[in-house]
Every structure is written in structure tokens, then in C-alpha cells.
Amino acid sequence: MLLGEEHDICRVVLAATVVSYDSFCYLNNNINRYTPIGTQSSSLFGVHCNTVRDYVFLLALPLPKGIAQTFGPLELKLTKLISNFSHVCNVCVLYLPPPLHITHTPLTKRLLTINIFPNSKMDSEAVIEFLGDVPVLQRFPSSSIRKIAQLVVVKRYNSGEYIFREGQPRDGIYIIWEGEVEVSGAFHADNHDFQVFQWRKFDCFTQNESVGKEDIIALTKLTLLMLPRKYSPLMQPTSIWSADMNLETCAPVEHILSLDSLDMNTFRGITLQGAPKSSNVYGGQFMGQALAAASKTVHFLKILHSFHAHFLLAGDINIPIIYQVDRLHDMPNIATRRVNAVQKERVVFFLIASFHRGEEGYDHQEPTMPSVPDPEMLLPEHGLEEGVKHLRNLQRMEVSTSTSVPWPTEIRPVDPVKYTRQTKRSPSVIYWLRAKGRLPDDQALHRCVGAYFSDLLFIQISLNPHRRKGLSPSSISLDHSMWFHRDFRADDWLLYVIDSPTAYNARGFSRGQMFNRKGELVLSAMQVGVVRKARFVSTTASKL
């Protein structure tokens, strides 16, 4: 063994391939002339000859003590590496003790410059923190970002060094941690148009595979994160929530809330056949999809804590919905987004959402969960007798497809009495609900699903005291607000407690609270809508 174990943490091994046995003998005889500058010792040791194909000698260089604990690069210059450059055809680094990373410049006149620095994988949390702010990556599932953080390799360059040269094969996808680069020639970038040839922090780029005629050079000292080419499928997840979503097995509500990313700030959603709707887009779909779009423009560690939504026009179930996100405000722990839902070039719905990174703080809860039977003791409600949101004669499909989903929610009403739309009763309702299927472990998705749930049987409750036989009152949502208090799983049972404290001047007001099975308040919701008296419908009217 060339290096003793006690020296492994402070040695780098270089290999020089020589052109002939005579060259090897020359170098072997003159090894004491090689002087590393900037190291603790000025001597090299260890000589080895491989006479099978090439003649190689190994140089083991001592490194300064404590190099593994420093963050900045160390520039190590070797002078008089050889007395005659004609003897050497290649020099490469064979070994560097982890967690160090190394790059080196080509040989010049009697000088080899090596940059040695710790690999950023030492601090995986710092890498995750950085990648979460990269706009191109924010559209990805959080699980994909965490995987990318484990696989990226740190590369550093001095000003003037080339990252790519014309004709050089592509070896990965690059993200700028610090510094600037310039490109000349045909080049593809994920988050810029083709006319921009300088990139800075957070920009992501890769070499054009079809052309390969570009030079990319560091304009300043540069730090890059490189995802090796073999891991590039991570940059093409099947959905915004799952890297490998399977339509046959994913939860129906995940399918409904999966959007197509058109660019960093624009997303497209559709109304799937079988998803909750009447003749118009279900309000919960607008909210869930808009929040999904907003969540995919912030750091995944910043979680939705509130939003305020306004319903402007009825949504058309037969055409896509374009969600346009405005990045209104970003701070280290807080972000604010506005989302417009557009159909036929008109804004039909919008919301403003606020996101917050979790912190240690106070904890108290005044409301208590009502004492009700467990959901397993209650019968399911298939028809949603009150405020039905789907066509009753629509056949439910057992398996999700690209255009259809089964009913996405399980519901267990606490009150076993069956009511009709003409039955007068109190303005309140309590029921258990949960998403069908299993959702990914992404709190952003669970909160979007919570918003999706919240519009079920909500404003209609304000009509309950005014129902009577022969009347067909109507309700239209105007605005909806929610606050998320604690993490929860939307695929576990949640108790939704809804009441309507007042209705006046053709406006109804409803409020709701969701509790998990432990009795913890996980979210609160409020909605105002237009509730109108309908004309009395006579059951004996003439058919003429």
C-alpha cells in the first residue's frame, strides 16, 4: 500500500504516465527535485512502475492540516514536477481523501495547478436549501429535489476557465450556485430564451445535445452543482407530485390536482370526467389546482398557511384552465403568490396564497372536536344528498385514466337522517371525510386536497333553515378563505364541522373546522356566497 492509513486524510495521489521506460528511470532518479509549494512538507514519496502497458509513477503529496474543515478552495502549485516535459504524456489525480473534491488545470510550462476543496455533500442540508430556490426545480416533486441533492457533484472554476468547449460531450446538467458564465454558439437553457448568453445564480443549463458547438466560460469564480447525465430522468418527473405517478394506482384526487407545467409560472389543469362538478367547474377544483400551481413556485420547505380566493365567473368543464402565477413576495421564511385562473382569455377565478417555513413557536387550541362516532361506525354517503356536485347518472369508473377519475372522496355523515332539498333543518352539518387511495408524503399536496375538500356542502348549509316544499333556492360562491394550522394527511379521516351563523341581504356566511382523529384543529375555512330565494314552483301547474 502506497499510503499508510494514518496519512490518508492528508494525502493526494497523482499519477504521471511516461512515454518510455527510460523516461520512468529518469523521473525515478530525480524524484527529490519535485517540490510541492503550499504544503506542510516539501518532499514527495512513493514510486511505482506498471510495465504491462504504460510506465507510471505515483506521487503522494501531503496536504495542509485541516483542509477537510475549510470551505474555500486551496490552490496547490507543483513546480519542477519534471525536468523535461517530453518525458510525460499525462498527469491525473488518482486519489483524494473524502470529503474533498479536486479539479486541476492542464500542464503548462513546468507548472501544474490543482484546486482542492471540500465537497458540498458534507452539508446536504445546504444543498437542499439551495436547490429548493432554483425556479426550474420548484415545479418538481419534493422527493425528486431531495434525490437530486444527494446526487449532484460540486464543480468549481476560476475566472476564464472553460466549463464546456466546442465538441465536448455532455456530461450532465449544471446549476449555478455562485458566479456567472458566458456562452457563445448554439445553446439550450431551461429557463431562458435563446438570445440570453449569460447565466447567474440559480440558472440551470445543459449542453445542446444535437449541436454541441458552444463554448461556455466562467466570467467569475464559479461554483456549479452538476447532476450526472445518468440521473437526468429525475429532471423529467411524470407529475408535479410524483416522479413516477401511475394513473392506475394513484389516488383520484392526486390525478385531479396534477397540473401540466407550461413554464416556471404557468400551469394547465383540466376537469376530468367523473371529477366533482355540476354544469360548471367545482369550486374546490379551482382552489386545489390554483394552490398546486402556487406551491410549485416556492421552496418546497415553505408550506401553505392561508389563502383568500374569489370566484368571478363560472368555469367551463369542457376546456382547460390556465393558471398564471405572480411571484409577489419572497423572504427567507415567507412567500406570497397570486394565481389567476384563465379560460377564454378571461380571469374566472383568482386567489392570493401565503407560505411559511415551519418554526418553533407557541401552541394552544381553544375549539374542541365534537364527540361523534368513529367513521368506521358510520355508513358511507354515496349521493351527497345535500349539495350534490356530480351528475347522478354518471357511471363511476373503477380506474383512473388520462381523462377520467372515480369519485375521489369517502364521506361518513354523522347524522344518519336522510334529508331532501326541501327539508328545513339547522344550518350545520358534521361529517368525516378522506381522500380515496394513498397520497404521496408531500404536505403541500395534502393541503391542496384539504382546500379541495373544503367546498363540499359549504355555502349550501346557509340555506338549511329556509328550505320548504316547492322552493328551489340557489347558492353561488363569492369568496373563500382558509387557514392551515397543523400538518395533516388528507388520506386519513378528518372531521369537518360546518355551520352558518348568519344569512342576510341575499348573502350566506358559512364557516368550517377540520379536526384529525386526535382532536387537533388542522384547518379553518370561511365562505360567503349569494343565496337567493327561488320562485315558488306549483306542483299542480298546467303543462300547457
Side-chain angles (χ1 to χ4, degrees), residues 386-455:
E386 183 54 52
V388 67
K389 292 293 184 180
H390 63 88
L391 304 178
R392 291 180 183 272
N393 61 354
L394 180 64
Q395 182 179 2
R396 295 295 168 192
M397 302 189 66
E398 295 299 326
V399 177
S400 297
T401 70
S402 60
T403 58
S404 65
V405 292
W407 182 252
T409 313
E410 293 184 71
I411 294 179
R412 301 286 189 274
V414 171
D415 186 350
V417 178
K418 298 292 185 181
Y419 296 103
T420 68
R421 293 175 64 85
Q422 284 77 43
T423 304
K424 182 178 179 178
R425 53 195 181 276
S426 66
S428 62
V429 68
I430 302 176
Y431 59 89
W432 291 96
L433 80 169
R434 69 178 177 183
K436 286 184 177 178
R438 185 69 176 174
L439 295 171
D441 297 329
D442 188 332
Q443 186 58 207
L445 173 59
H446 289 267
R447 296 195 179 197
C448 292
V449 174
Y452 178 91
F453 285 164
S454 68
D455 199 34

Side-chain angles (χ1 to χ4, degrees), residues 30-43:
N30 291 274
I31 191 169
N32 291 330
R33 298 182 183 179
Y34 314 145
T35 305
I37 298 177
T39 63
Q40 295 294 317
S41 172
S42 60
S43 63

Side-chain angles (χ1 to χ4, degrees), residues 481-493:
S481 297
M482 288 186 71
W483 297 264
F484 298 85
H485 312 304
R486 293 169 177 83
D487 288 351
F488 62 93
R489 290 199 64 92
D491 50 7
D492 286 342
W493 287 111

Side-chain angles (χ1 to χ4, degrees), residues 53-66:
R53 294 190 59 182
D54 298 315
Y55 299 97
V56 179
F57 70 93
L58 303 183
L59 310 177
L61 280 62
L63 298 177
K65 293 180 179 179

